[in-house]
Amino acid sequence: MSTQFDSEGFDLGAADIVEGDNNESVVYEIGGSVTTQQKESPTKKQCSKQESCTPIDKAEELKEQGNQQFKSQNYLDAYDYYTDAILATPYGESIGLSGDELLQLKEEFDEGNRERLMEKQRKEMEKRRNSRNNSNGEDKKEDDIEEEDNDDKPIETFNPPRHIYGHKLAVYYANRAATLLHLERNGEVITDCDISLLYNPTYIKAYLRRCTANERIENTEEALKDAKLAYELDPTNKVAQKAVTRLTKIENERLEKLKEETMDKLKGLGNSLLSNFGLSLDNFNAVQDPKTGGYSISFDQGKK
């Protein structure tokens, strides 16, 4: 499902910022009209004509060719150039991991965290059982106490290994994500932005593009998280500000609707059980105390 945006809502143009030399950027609205554009550096190095060109120089040239194709709205060609820039970037033990390797490492780390969390929950259940079966606690062993201390350790946060050209790779992946937004390949947008943010966790454009993709697939919870992260990184960013305001409203409405649906289901279940006694939930009145916020329940047998 494709979500339409306008200047009063989420500015998709901000998701289409393509990074150039010296942090230059070009911003496009839906349909390709230019919102802002900085001039291209006249001293850009042409690797194809330079024998001393390094691999990262070649990658930068490929990125610039991708930018030109993007400006011309040739999004498939731009995608290919950004992909070539990613592949042309040096990788290795002394340089850093590729995007696929980095993403796999993150997934393995997350899986390890999930296993540790499940093991922690298992031990907590075991301790509760032991506590019920042995309330005096005399049989507790010292190694059980050590396990309790270890269980109190917080879940670790993934810290990606550094890549020498990480900030450039973050741009290549995020620029490719911008082309994928136009091609409506939203799942790939999210993956490319994931990798971009592993290389550069403070890259606002990657957060905004992932935000757009998540909202398009109606994952407003994750979209709001990305909008908030972008806003925290730069509170002056107007696009992030608008996204947070708008997505907060959408998410609150979604949660309210979910709460109402859940309450309707619980009410139906309650009425089904009470019907065996000739009663319904209408026989019970809940009145909230404005001072404490608590509820008092009264019974009215006359209601049906």
Side-chain angles (χ1 to χ4, degrees):
M1 174 178 169
S2 178
T3 305
Q4 296 296 324
F5 302 94
D6 57 36
S7 59
E8 294 303 317
F10 186 85
D11 183 7
L12 183 57
D16 291 342
I17 300 171
V18 177
E19 197 82 12
D21 287 341
N22 301 318
N23 273 341
E24 292 177 342
S25 63
V26 181
V27 182
Y28 289 85
E29 302 287 351
I30 294 176
S33 60
V34 177
T35 301
T36 30
Q37 182 174 354
Q38 296 182 10
K39 294 182 179 179
E40 187 177 351
S41 171
T43 60
K44 184 175 64 175
K45 188 175 183 180
Q46 295 295 327
C47 287
S48 58
K49 301 177 182 179
Q50 300 269 351
E51 292 184 1
S52 61
C53 181
T54 66
I56 196 60
D57 290 333
K58 179 61 178 176
E60 283 289 283
E61 181 182 312
L62 288 165
K63 177 201 70 177
E64 289 303 327
Q65 290 174 307
N67 290 355
Q68 293 303 317
Q69 294 299 319
F70 188 93
K71 293 174 191 177
S72 300
Q73 300 181 40
N74 299 323
Y75 301 120
L76 282 172
D77 290 336
Y79 174 91
D80 290 340
Y81 277 116
Y82 294 137
T83 300
D84 289 341
I86 291 168
L87 296 174
T89 304
Y91 301 97
E93 186 175 346
S94 60
I95 300 173
L97 299 177
S98 69
D100 289 340
E101 291 171 332
L102 197 56
L103 194 60
Q104 182 179 354
L105 190 65
K106 172 69 162 52
E107 290 172 352
E108 291 173 353
F109 179 88
D110 289 342
E111 180 60 28
N113 262 350
R114 283 191 290 270
E115 290 176 358
R116 285 190 289 273
L117 181 60
M118 291 176 64
E119 180 64 14
K120 180 178 180 179
Q121 292 172 342
R122 186 194 65 78
K123 289 180 179 179
E124 288 174 348
M125 289 176 62
E126 189 71 23
K127 282 185 283 187
R128 286 196 296 271
R129 290 194 187 100
N130 291 339
S131 178
R132 287 194 296 268
N133 296 333
N134 192 8
S135 58
N136 57 20
E138 293 178 359
D139 295 337
K140 184 178 288 186
K141 299 178 182 178
E142 291 184 3
D143 56 347
D144 290 334
I145 297 174
E146 288 183 8
E147 283 186 353
E148 287 180 7
D149 293 338
N150 291 333
D151 287 345
D152 289 337
K153 292 182 179 180
I155 299 297
E156 296 178 1
T157 301
F158 181 68
N159 293 313
R162 179 179 176 273
H163 192 293
I164 293 176
Y165 304 111
H167 277 63
K168 292 186 180 296
L169 280 164
V171 170
Y172 304 159
Y173 275 101
N175 280 9
R176 191 169 74 171
T179 69
L180 290 166
L181 278 173
H182 282 278
L183 298 172
E184 298 189 0
R185 290 155 60 176
N186 299 305
E188 294 175 68
V189 173
I190 293 170
T191 298
D192 271 4
C193 290
D194 287 346
I195 296 174
S196 176
L197 291 165
L198 287 173
Y199 282 122
N200 181 6
T202 62
Y203 195 22
I204 294 174
K205 295 169 189 176
Y207 282 115
L208 292 177
R209 288 167 195 164
R210 192 170 67 180
C211 172
T212 300
N214 272 314
E215 185 173 7
R216 282 183 175 180
I217 61 175
E218 300 183 358
N219 190 355
T220 54
E221 183 178 4
E222 291 300 318
L224 179 57
K225 286 180 183 178
D226 282 336
K228 286 181 176 179
L229 286 168
Y231 179 70
E232 288 173 6
L233 288 167
D234 182 11
T236 66
N237 189 300
K238 299 298 183 183
V239 175
Q241 289 177 5
K242 288 181 179 180
V244 169
T245 300
R246 191 175 53 80
L247 287 167
T248 297
K249 181 180 178 182
I250 292 173
E251 186 63 7
N252 286 342
E253 289 174 352
R254 184 187 71 84
L255 292 174
E256 185 63 28
K257 182 179 178 181
L258 181 62
K259 183 173 71 174
E260 290 175 359
E261 291 174 351
T262 302
M263 291 304 295
D264 286 342
K265 290 179 181 179
L266 290 173
K267 185 175 180 180
L269 178 61
N271 284 332
S272 176
L273 295 172
L274 289 171
S275 64
N276 297 321
F277 304 95
L279 301 172
S280 75
L281 288 176
D282 292 333
N283 294 109
F284 299 89
N285 297 318
V287 180
Q288 186 177 25
D289 186 331
K291 294 182 179 180
T292 64
Y295 286 86
S296 60
I297 307 296
S298 61
F299 176 68
D300 184 355
Q301 192 171 5
K303 286 189 176 182
K304 294 184 180 180

